[in-house]
Every structure is written in structure tokens, then in C-alpha cells.
């Protein structure tokens, strides 16, 4: 009669021991069988059942075995190990603290069904891979952003402070759910990192959907690709004008030459930066905040103080050129306060409005005399006798 005693090995697999009777010296045999705690049955060791010439296909076809590519041998499947200590000693296995089971690491799972059933794995069949394969989800690989971002398959998601799969690993459904990714079906790898998460100028410039802001050192989705106001304004570098989203001039140009060549932009010499032309600004707040512009009733116009040269100044009906000061000023009729009007040497408050003094408004006799407020004398246009008690008037004979 033979008695078999089973002792729990360190790795969670029981090795068979044989005794030929009381008094016999216990002799450890070469184990041929193991006891599978999970299945509650004794099984032949895969290393005994298959030899070194056994192929991976044959080994993996056995539900109790798996092929160890590293050591080129057939061995017991991870499910044979009932303890964490034994499980983690096998390079192909991992221990789940959620289920207290030993399972195969994602990389060694060969079929999609098994891979998808493991919540820690992903079956990667993204277009950038030549063949589908099972891979460990990045959230289970790293808990620190540095090693996470160093992994070509992972990226750190600061919004949830965890490591997640890089966009190129995701198929369309998952891609559209990931805020850090965008789906572009016309490129080879349709799921890619959204512009606002790209932190390198060269990578940003290589993406036809993105633009780089030199002033803010950030990548953003090209303004022209944004079709509604809210996402347009959220970029911080785009503006919504006349139902069109476009890049703000300060973020579009960094030199005076390129700025002035753009019909929508103008160079601001005060701040040495490119700014939008005043007529493109649609609200008083934005308009007034720009030193080159001023709000005139219902529209934004170029500030007279920003115009250089007498000809350019006088060509603008909103402005007047001061010969005495050599600067362009707001024309008198646009000054609404009498106190402001009276401080301007070229203007005079008349009744309920501010008007330009005759001597500054007209340079010829006919134009001067056509204005009842004025009269031409001694080569100059002066106030008529009834208009200016403070200025000397001519005596009529």
C-alpha cells in the first residue's frame, strides 16, 4: 500500500510526497503532479507533460498550460497558483488584489476574449499597430507622471491625476470619450492628442489642425476649425468676429512687417506688438482697452492720436491736425463735454456742442464766409462779430 501526502509549496502549488510505510525514510520524488487549489484537483505538471521540443501552439492549446517564451518551456497556467507569493515569482503572472486570483499578465494573453474580460487589460487593435495585441492599461502601470509620460503608450492626465493610454492606442469610440484626444478620420492614425495638450512647438506645427501661439507659448486648435463662439473664445488665442472664429493678431504676428501686411491687423508702436484693426472690434470694452482705438457711438474706430502725419490725419473725418503741437487730435465735434472742449485750443463750446474755431476749420475765403459763424479778414478766417466776444472783431465802415 502507498500513501501520498501533499505539502503546500511556497509558490502555492502542492508537490506530491510518497511514503512506502512507517519507518521508511521519506524520500522526495521528482514531482510529476500538482494539486490545483482553484480547481480542487490533481494535475500533471506541464513541464512533465511536454518537453523542450513542444511548440508554443501545442502548449497553449492545453487549458492547464502556457508557453514561457523567456525560458522556452511549457509551464502551468497562472491560475494554478493560489497564493500571491507564488504568483509573483512567475514573470508571466500577476496577482489581483481585487479578486485574490493569479492571472496572466496582459502582454501574455493571446486572445481578445480573455484580454477583454480582464479589467486591467486592453485589446489594442488601433490602426497604428500591425496586429492586435493585449496590453496592460496604463493606469495599472504607473502612479507617477514622469515614468508615465516616458512610456510611448501612456500619458499623464492631470484632470484625474492618473496615467492613461495615449491617444494613438484608442479606437474611435474611446478616442471621442477622452478629453485629451481628438479624432481625425483623414489621417493615418486618426486618434491623436488634442492641440491644447501638445506642449512642443515642432509637434504642434506638424499637426495641420493646430497652431502655435508665440506670445503665450501654447498650442491650440486652429481658429478657422472652430465653428461656434463658445469653443472659439475658450482657446484664449482666438476671437469671434462676424460669426467667424479667427486667430487674434497678437498671436498671429510677432514682427511689424508681417503684422502690417495683414489687412486685419495693425502694429502698435506703444506696446511693440501686433493688434487687431479697430474696425474689427465689436464691443466698447475691447476697443477702449486698445491704445490705438476708441469707441465712437456704436463702432470702434482708430484713435486720432495713433495717426501720424497731417495728410493722414485730415483725411480722417473724425480727426484734426494740430499744427502747433504736431499731433493728430479728435475733431471738436466729437467732444461731448464742454469742460473738455474748453481745454482744447482748437475748439470752442457753442450752445450745446463743441465746434472747431473758424481759423482752424477754413483756409480759404469762400468756405470761411459761407459759414455764418465765421468771416474772412486779413487773410484769415475769424469768428463773426456776433460769435466771439473774446476775440477782436473788425470794424465795418
Amino acid at each position: 500500500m502507498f500513501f501520498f501526502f501533499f505539502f503546500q509549496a511556497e509558490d502555492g502549488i502542492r508537490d506530491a510526497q510518497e511514503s512506502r510505510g512507517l519507518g521508511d525514510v521519506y524520500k522526495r520524488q521528482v514531482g510529476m503532479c500538482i494539486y490545483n487549489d482553484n480547481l480542487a484537483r490533481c494535475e500533471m505538471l506541464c513541464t512533465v507533460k511536454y518537453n523542450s521540443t513542444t511548440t508554443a501552439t501545442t502548449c497553449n492549446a492545453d487549458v492547464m498550460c502556457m508557453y514561457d517564451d523567456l525560458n522556452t518551456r511549457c509551464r502551468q497556467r497562472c491560475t494554478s497558483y493560489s497564493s500571491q507569493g507564488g504568483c509573483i515569482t512567475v514573470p508571466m503572472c500577476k496577482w489581483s488584489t481585487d479578486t485574490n486570483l493569479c492571472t496572466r499578465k496582459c502582454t501574455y494573453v493571446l486572445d481578445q476574449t480573455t484580454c477583454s474580460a480582464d479589467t486591467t487589460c486592453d485589446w489594442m487593435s488601433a490602426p497604428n499597430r500591425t496586429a492586435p495585441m493585449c496590453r496592460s492599461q496604463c493606469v495599472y502601470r504607473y502612479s507617477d507622471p514622469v515614468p508615465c509620460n516616458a512610456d510611448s503608450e501612456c500619458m499623464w492626465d492631470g484632470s484625474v491625476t492618473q496615467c492613461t493610454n495615449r491617444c494613438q492606442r484608442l479606437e474611435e469610440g474611446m478616442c471621442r470619450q477622452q478629453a485629451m484626444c481628438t479624432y481625425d478620420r483623414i489621417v493615418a492614425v486618426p486618434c491623436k492628442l488634442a492641440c491644447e495638450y501638445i506642449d512642443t512647438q515642432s509637434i504642434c506645427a506638424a499637426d495641420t489642425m493646430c497652431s502655435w501661439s508665440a506670445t503665450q507659448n501654447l498650442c491650440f486648435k486652429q481658429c478657422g476649425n472652430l465653428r461656434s463662439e463658445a469653443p472659439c473664445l475658450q482657446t484664449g488665442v482666438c476671437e469671434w468676429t462676424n460669426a467667424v472664429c479667427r486667430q487674434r493678431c497678437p498671436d498671429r504676428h510677432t514682427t511689424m512687417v508681417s503684422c502690417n501686411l495683414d489687412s486685419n491687423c495693425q502694429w502698435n508702436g506703444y506696446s511693440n506688438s501686433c493688434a487687431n484693426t479697430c474696425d474689427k472690434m465689436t464691443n466698447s470694452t475691447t476697443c477702449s482697452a486698445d491704445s490705438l482705438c476708441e469707441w465712437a457711438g456704436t463702432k470702434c474706430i482708430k484713435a486720432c492720436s495713433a495717426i501720424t502725419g497731417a495728410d493722414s490725419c485730415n483725411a480722417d473725418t473724425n480727426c484734426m491736425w494740430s499744427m502747433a503741437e504736431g499731433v493728430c487730435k479728435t475733431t471738436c465735434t466729437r467732444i461731448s463735454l464742454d469742460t473738455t472742449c474748453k481745454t482744447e485750443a482748437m475748439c470752442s463750446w457753442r450752445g450745446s456742442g463743441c465746434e472747431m474755431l473758424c481759423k482752424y476749420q477754413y483756409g480759404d475765403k469762400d468756405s470761411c464766409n459761407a459759414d455764418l459763424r465765421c468771416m474772412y479778414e486779413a487773410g484769415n478766417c475769424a469768428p463773426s462779430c456776433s460769435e466771439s466776444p473774446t476775440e477782436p472783431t473788425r470794424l465795418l465802415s
Side-chain angles (χ1 to χ4, degrees):
M1 178 180 293
F2 297 92
F3 298 91
F4 291 89
F5 301 90
F6 295 92
F7 299 90
Q8 183 73 36
E10 290 183 1
D11 62 2
I13 298 177
R14 297 178 179 177
D15 293 329
Q17 294 277 1
E18 181 183 10
S19 173
R20 292 187 177 275
L22 188 62
D24 287 351
V25 178
Y26 286 100
K27 180 179 182 181
R28 188 174 182 85
Q29 306 280 322
V30 176
M32 296 179 65
C33 302
I34 62 168
Y35 187 82
N36 189 320
D37 283 319
N38 296 317
L39 300 177
R41 70 185 184 192
C42 189
E43 303 169 354
M44 181 178 289
L45 285 167
C46 295
T47 51
V48 175
K49 190 185 301 187
Y50 303 104
N51 56 37
S52 59
T53 63
T54 301
T55 64
T57 302
T58 302
C59 175
N60 289 327
D62 190 323
V63 295
M64 298 302 171
C65 307
M66 63 182 181
Y67 193 77
D68 185 344
D69 290 303
L70 182 63
N71 297 298
T72 61
R73 66 170 182 168
C74 196
R75 64 182 305 154
Q76 301 308 123
R77 291 211 174 192
C78 300
T79 52
S80 300
Y81 297 89
S82 59
S83 70
Q84 183 176 2
C87 178
I88 61 177
T89 61
V90 183
M92 295 176 67
C93 302
K94 68 178 187 294
W95 183 260
S96 171
T97 55
D98 294 330
T99 61
N100 286 326
L101 294 175
C102 186
T103 58
R104 191 181 300 196
K105 288 181 179 177
C106 303
T107 308
Y108 296 101
V109 176
L110 305 178
D111 65 283
Q112 183 175 358
T113 302
T114 306
C115 179
S116 300
D118 190 328
T119 56
T120 67
C121 304
D122 277 329
W123 182 256
M124 301 313 303
S125 55
N128 59 307
R129 290 194 178 279
T130 55
M133 66 181 298
C134 192
R135 296 287 286 156
S136 174
Q137 291 184 19
C138 293
V139 67
Y140 295 103
R141 296 190 206 179
Y142 311 105
S143 57
D144 184 83
V146 176
C148 172
N149 288 326
D151 190 320
S152 62
E153 295 185 337
C154 305
M155 63 183 180
W156 187 260
D157 187 346
S159 64
V160 291
T161 60
Q162 68 179 28
C163 193
T164 187
N165 296 335
R166 281 192 188 267
C167 301
Q168 61 264 33
R169 292 184 64 193
L170 307 178
E171 294 193 43
E172 183 175 358
M174 292 298 294
C175 180
R176 295 187 184 280
Q177 293 178 25
Q178 170 56 267
M180 294 180 68
C181 304
T182 185
Y183 194 81
D184 183 0
R185 63 179 71 253
I186 65 173
V187 296
V189 183
C191 189
K192 57 185 180 180
L193 193 64
C195 301
E196 56 268 33
Y197 293 98
I198 299 176
D199 56 8
T200 305
Q201 184 174 358
S202 58
I203 297 176
C204 177
D207 193 322
T208 57
M209 299 291 289
C210 306
S211 292
W212 183 262
S213 168
T215 58
Q216 299 189 41
N217 287 322
L218 56 82
C219 188
F220 60 96
K221 189 174 183 179
Q222 286 188 358
C223 304
N225 293 321
L226 301 171
R227 306 302 181 190
S228 57
E229 184 174 6
C232 173
L233 298 178
Q234 284 174 2
T235 64
V237 292
C238 301
E239 60 187 0
W240 187 256
T241 306
N242 299 323
V244 175
C245 187
R246 66 184 182 188
Q247 188 175 355
R248 295 169 58 247
C249 292
D251 297 293
R252 197 185 317 173
H253 305 289
T254 56
T255 65
M256 181 171 63
V257 174
S258 64
C259 176
N260 289 333
L261 287 174
D262 190 327
S263 61
N264 293 308
C265 305
Q266 60 186 350
W267 185 257
N268 188 329
Y270 300 108
S271 61
N272 283 323
S273 63
C274 192
N276 293 351
T277 54
C278 304
D279 61 317
K280 299 299 188 298
M281 300 181 189
T282 57
N283 63 77
S284 60
T285 302
T286 305
C287 177
S288 301
D290 193 316
S291 59
L292 297 180
C293 307
E294 60 180 292
W295 188 253
T298 59
K299 62 182 180 179
C300 187
I301 62 173
K302 188 169 186 176
C304 297
S305 58
I307 300 176
T308 57
D311 292 340
S312 298
C313 177
N314 291 327
D316 189 327
T317 57
N318 294 302
C319 306
M320 60 185 184
W321 182 257
S322 170
M323 294 293 294
E325 300 176 59
V327 295
C328 190
K329 293 186 171 184
T330 300
T331 188
C332 303
T333 55
R334 292 187 55 236
I335 299 175
S336 59
L337 299 175
D338 61 339
T339 52
T340 305
C341 179
K342 291 173 183 178
T343 61
E344 175 52 62
M346 295 177 67
C347 304
S348 174
W349 188 262
R350 182 173 182 268
S352 60
C354 189
E355 296 179 351
M356 186 182 293
L357 291 173
C358 296
K359 63 180 178 179
Y360 297 112
Q361 189 164 1
Y362 304 112
D364 65 279
K365 180 178 180 179
D366 291 340
S367 298
C368 176
N369 289 330
D371 189 331
L372 297 177
R373 299 179 304 116
C374 311
M375 62 183 183
Y376 197 81
E377 86 175 335
N380 292 302
C381 189
S384 64
C385 299
S386 60
E387 289 294 323
S388 180
T390 60
E391 290 192 24
T393 57
R394 65 179 178 177
L395 297 175
L396 299 177
S397 55

